[in-house]
Structures are given as C-alpha cells and as structure tokens.
Amino acid sequence: MLPVDLPDTVREALLAPLVDHHCNGVRRDELSRSQFELLIGDGGGPAPPGTTHFDTPFGAAVRRWCAPVLGLAPHVTPSVYLSRRAELGACEVNRRLLRAAGVAAFLVDTGPESGELLSAAEMGRHADAAADEIVRIEQIEHDVAEMARIAVDYLDSLAEELVARAARAVGMNTVIAHRCGLDFDPSRPSRGSVIAAANRRLSDPKERLTDPVLLRHLLWTAVDVARERGLPLQFHTGAGDADVEPHRADPARMTGFIKALQPIGVPVVLLHCYPFHRQAAHLAALFPHVYVDVGQALARTAAGAWRIMDEVLELAPFHKQLFSSDCSGVAESCHLGAVYFRRSLGVALKPRVDAGEWTAADAARVAHMVGSGNARRIYRL
Ligand SMILES: [Zn+2]
C-alpha cells in the first residue's frame, strides 16, 4: 500500500484508522456503466463519444486499487471490473470498499439529500465506523423557502431551523463559493436589504439561492449558531462546481470574511481547495482559526497526488491539516481518497525523514495529527 520504505512507527501511523471529516453519501442502487462513468467523471457529464472516464488518473486508480477489494486482479479492464461490481451488488460493493478505506469515523455532508444516497448512519453501518452529520446551510434554506409564505416568517424559520439542525450535527458547511463566489461582501447585510431580498426569494422559492444578500444573511446566521454551539464552519472551495467562474472559488478571495470571524472564534475549514491549495495553506498559516484539506484532489490526481501533499506540508501548520475523501456517488471515491492520502503523505514524509529534517517520531506524529487527531480535536469527536 505504501510506495516508499519508512520506519515502522511512520508506517503504522500512516496505516492507522482515519477520520474522514468531509464525505458525501454513496449510491445504494445498482449502477449501469453509463451511470458509473457519470459518477467518476470530473465535470458531471459523459465522456465524449468513443472515449471513457476510465482513461483518467481516477479511472486507472479504480482498476489498480479497487479491483483487488472486489476480488479481482489489479488492472483488470473496465468491463471486467463493472461486471464484478454488478455480480456482487451495490450493498456488498459499498461494504467492501468503505471498510477497505480504514476509516474510523465519517463526517457526512447531508447537503445533497437524496433517497439514492446512503445516509450518514448507513455510511457508518456499511463501513463499521462511527458517523456524524455536517449540515449544509443552503439545503436548510431551500427547505425553509419552500414552506414560508411571508418574509418575516421565512427569516424566523431560517434561524430556528439552523439551530434545530445544528443541534444534531458536529459542524456546518456552505457552498457559497458555488452560488455567488467567495469574493462576497464580508459584512453582515442590513435588516432592510435582507427583508427586500427575502420578498424576492419567496416569489421563486424552488430555485437555487444565488442572491448574495440572502446568502450572506444565511452565512452570518450560521456563524451565530456555530459560535453558540462551538461548531466549525466548512467552506467548499476550489474545483467542484462549474456554476461560477473557477477563480471565484479561490479561498484567498474570502480573506476579509476570515478576518471578520477571527475575533468570533468560529473555526473556518477550507474544503477541497485544489488548485488553490497553496493559497489555502497560506491562510491556514496566517490565521489561527483556519484549517485546510485537499479532499478529492488526491484521488483525482492519483499517482501525482504526492506533489499536492508536499505543497500543503511545506506551508500549512501540521495542526491545521485534515484528511477527507470528499467521497461522493461511488464508494470507490472513499477507498481511493484513503489510499492516496496514505500514499502521498508517505512519499512527502520520506525525504524529510531521510534528510534528517524530521525524526521518525515527528513524521509519525504528523501522520496521526493529519489523519485523525486534528479532526477529533476541532469537531470534538
Ligand atoms: Zn466536497
């Protein structure tokens, strides 16, 4: 599993159970080849005619690392892999791949709610792991908007619902990066502007919320709840959604908001970050309440993942880095997230130990911190 020779203590630390602090439910139903390919592709669309999403770093990694978990030889063809997947059935495939990831606790983003996806509790049961929820504030807003009739009720219900859902969760998250960009005005919007925006919102409550005034109001209301309950607030950043221009998902663009939260003491967790992971690492180094992970970038870049890990390690304090698989849709993404986290961190640690910059004990301690300890500390697990 580890591609480099490391002292035993470091190997053990890298192979120890992880805390996956950001993942999504995986599909519970049987998937056709085209459905599976849609879920492993980056852009959410099918591969061009005559090509396949298996011809990507992620697709090659599925054949290399997931095939043996399903009882196949490494590198089998996509069609052999998918026939075996169908033969075992979705439940057994999910059980095998989620267990093989070696995750002790999942923090599941319950934003993309759908009956087709395993719930947080089901993810835990399939993987024989603990599971907790991270609530997505834009999903809560959507549920409230559909029920409310007048602006004042909408705003009251929004605050109440955030409190109620947060009571069952270990953190909250926001996709404001993909709704209006991270270069939003960091101040709290005025009551008058919020009521005017709420009236506009209720004329079309089924649409995704993209109004910057209401998104800021939602965010600041969530900050109040997070402060009250001592919860971290996760921000989706970097690659992941084509709805706004990619450069507006650069976390450095929300530096004003990060500064505004510093005296409040709510931890800001920057998710995904890639390809802005160096900016994110810089923010984590500058601000005591900012944390960083690179999520699915490791599985998506596969054999090249160690470079990303190395660049985060070169700048972000070690007590600010977290592991997440950002698993979504298929359990392969969970297993590969864990595989490439362990492999890339091992490759990045080796030259530090070999050069005498770090002791083996230092490297083992950092592997434990990033793999599970930091998440246990900030989410109070
Ligand atoms: Zn994510």
Side-chain angles (χ1 to χ4, degrees):
M1 150 83 84
L2 299 177
V4 287
D5 197 23
L6 286 159
D8 285 349
T9 49
V10 184
R11 293 183 72 81
E12 281 160 21
L14 286 165
L15 298 176
L18 300 168
V19 173
D20 187 346
H21 87 113
H22 171 58
C23 65
N24 305 280
V26 300
R27 290 277 290 263
R28 68 174 75 250
D29 49 336
E30 310 300 332
L31 301 171
S32 66
R33 172 151 189 169
S34 57
Q35 287 172 316
F36 185 84
E37 289 233 6
L38 278 181
L39 291 168
I40 67 166
D42 253 340
T51 71
T52 166
H53 283 319
F54 273 95
D55 283 335
T56 57
F58 187 88
V62 168
R63 292 171 45 228
R64 168 63 186 89
W65 295 105
C66 300
V69 180
L70 304 194
L72 299 168
H75 308 299
V76 292
T77 63
S79 45
V80 169
Y81 183 81
L82 291 172
S83 326
R84 176 65 175 157
R85 211 180 188 282
E87 184 187 11
L88 288 171
C91 183
E92 176 64 10
V93 167
N94 289 339
R95 198 186 68 81
R96 287 193 188 199
L97 288 167
L98 293 177
R99 284 180 191 219
V103 169
F106 291 99
L107 307 191
V108 183
D109 179 349
T110 54
E113 271 174 358
S114 153
E116 293 168 332
L117 301 178
L118 297 186
S119 67
E122 289 171 318
M123 289 283 284
R125 273 204 297 281
H126 277 72
D128 196 19
D132 283 293
E133 288 186 23
I134 305 276
V135 290
R136 185 178 294 186
I137 62 174
E138 287 80 6
Q139 180 64 42
I140 295 172
E141 189 281 337
H142 185 81
D143 296 346
V144 168
E146 286 202 311
M147 301 294 291
R149 292 288 164 266
I150 58 171
V152 175
D153 289 350
Y154 162 80
L155 295 173
D156 287 348
S157 304
L158 197 53
E160 286 162 16
E161 207 48 30
L162 282 167
V163 169
R165 304 261 194 115
R168 307 197 296 263
V170 295
M172 308 171 92
N173 83 40
T174 172
V175 290
I176 192 169
H178 306 311
R179 297 294 180 87
C180 75
L182 291 175
D183 44 1
F184 57 88
D185 177 347
S187 62
R188 276 182 200 261
S190 69
R191 178 81 181 164
S193 69
V194 170
I195 289 183
N199 278 316
R200 290 196 298 276
R201 171 68 171 151
L202 294 183
S203 67
D204 202 359
K206 289 200 185 315
E207 280 300 302
R208 272 157 61 112
L209 176 64
T210 54
D211 182 310
V213 172
L214 275 190
L215 284 165
R216 282 164 52 216
H217 170 72
L218 177 63
L219 186 55
W220 275 106
T221 310
V223 166
D224 294 338
V225 176
R227 173 175 51 185
E228 190 70 27
R229 301 198 59 86
L231 299 178
L233 187 53
Q234 300 177 336
F235 285 76
H236 288 250
T237 75
D241 200 311
D243 283 2
V244 300
E245 299 91 331
H247 67 278
R248 296 184 64 199
D250 177 348
R253 292 184 173 250
M254 58 180 274
T255 304
F257 185 74
I258 286 172
K259 283 183 178 169
L261 287 200
Q262 187 169 356
I264 296 173
V266 171
V268 171
V269 185
L270 303 173
L271 302 175
H272 314 163
C273 302
Y274 185 80
F276 308 112
H277 53 288
R278 300 184 93 170
Q279 286 91 324
H282 185 46
L283 292 167
L286 280 179
F287 297 104
H289 58 309
V290 175
Y291 296 80
V292 58
D293 87 8
V294 286
Q296 218 181 86
L298 300 178
R300 292 279 161 198
T301 53
W306 67 271
R307 292 189 199 91
I308 298 170
M309 184 62 88
D310 195 50
E311 287 184 338
V312 177
L313 270 185
E314 78 187 12
L315 187 56
F318 314 132
H319 55 273
K320 296 300 201 69
Q321 300 176 41
L322 299 159
F323 160 71
S324 82
S325 67
D326 193 19
C327 136
S328 64
V330 291
E332 280 82 351
S333 55
C334 178
H335 180 49
L336 293 178
V339 164
Y340 284 102
F341 171 75
R342 292 182 166 111
R343 288 174 67 84
S344 64
L345 185 53
V347 174
L349 290 176
K350 182 169 173 58
R352 290 165 167 82
V353 175
D354 286 352
E357 296 280 345
W358 297 13
T359 65
D362 288 331
R365 203 165 55 84
V366 169
H368 275 302
M369 287 163 82
V370 183
S372 61
N374 292 338
R376 290 194 185 281
R377 187 178 80 249
I378 72 164
Y379 295 99
R380 304 178 187 183
L381 302 178

